[in-house]
Amino acid sequence: MAKAKKTAKKAPARKKPAAKKPQSLKVPVTLSVNGVDHELLIEPQRTLLDVLRTDLELTGAKHGCGVGECGSCTVLLDGAPVNSCLVLAVMCRGRQIETVEGLAIDGQLSPVQSSFIEHGAIQCGFCSPGMLLSSTALLRAKPHPGETEVREAISGNLCRCTGYQKIVEAVVAVGQEGAPEAAKEGE
Ligand code: FES
Ligand code: FES
């Protein structure tokens, strides 16, 4: 007599454990931006550009290439222009950060901002914050720059619209009109 086949009991389907969200480690950082201290809790891998734009809502610095090629994210770090897309925010502890939002004082545009407007050096404006900060750093170091110095100073800032000539003229003109950028430093 044939034996009855044993049928294997199906094991009940196991519930997949819910995927654990990776814990994001945050660290406390105080960033000094345009003379104001901001106490933040941020992930250590975040860029200065991201923190400025997202956490501090300072959207003047632009996200262009994200890899250090275009200069649209330029800010000043201890007075020197840097690509903020390449700088970790946590590395800026104890340093002075300046963005385009800090150039105007009491509603008065800085001389180089006014000169950009007077010379028609702004078209779409995407490059303008970076151009203004690179120019500001130059004018502080060299109050009367020539065309070659200006071109060198803005060589890391790409502009798709103006052809650069009007930007160069605007910066040179500030130097020729008494370099108030430099004077402002000594006030
Ligand atoms: S966005 Fe930083 S260099 Fe282009
Ligand atoms: S004004 Fe448009 S990129 Fe420079």
Side-chain angles (χ1 to χ4, degrees), residues 95-187:
R95 305 182 69 180
Q96 296 300 317
I97 301 156
E98 290 171 80
T99 70
V100 73
E101 288 88 351
L103 289 184
I105 293 176
D106 295 333
Q108 288 283 319
L109 295 181
S110 76
V112 73
Q113 285 177 306
S114 300
S115 192
F116 265 50
I117 293 170
E118 280 160 27
H119 287 81
I122 301 174
Q123 286 187 29
C124 80
F126 196 81
C127 70
S128 306
M131 287 287 186
L132 287 164
L133 288 162
S134 294
S135 305
T136 297
L138 171 69
L139 287 162
R140 287 175 181 168
K142 274 190 181 288
H144 309 285
E147 184 171 329
T148 309
E149 289 164 318
V150 174
R151 285 188 183 277
E152 198 174 312
I154 62 167
S155 60
N157 298 86
L158 303 185
C159 176
R160 295 168 297 183
C161 309
T162 63
Y164 300 96
Q165 188 57 35
K166 287 177 189 291
I167 293 173
V168 173
E169 286 170 10
V171 182
V172 170
V174 177
Q176 289 171 346
E177 285 156 21
E181 276 297 329
K184 207 171 74 184
E185 288 293 286
E187 278 174 11

Side-chain angles (χ1 to χ4, degrees), residues 64-74 83 85-86 155-159 164:
C65 65
V67 292
E69 297 287 346
C70 72
S72 65
C73 63
T74 302
N83 291 326
C85 69
L86 297 184
S155 60
N157 298 86
L158 303 185
C159 176
Y164 300 96

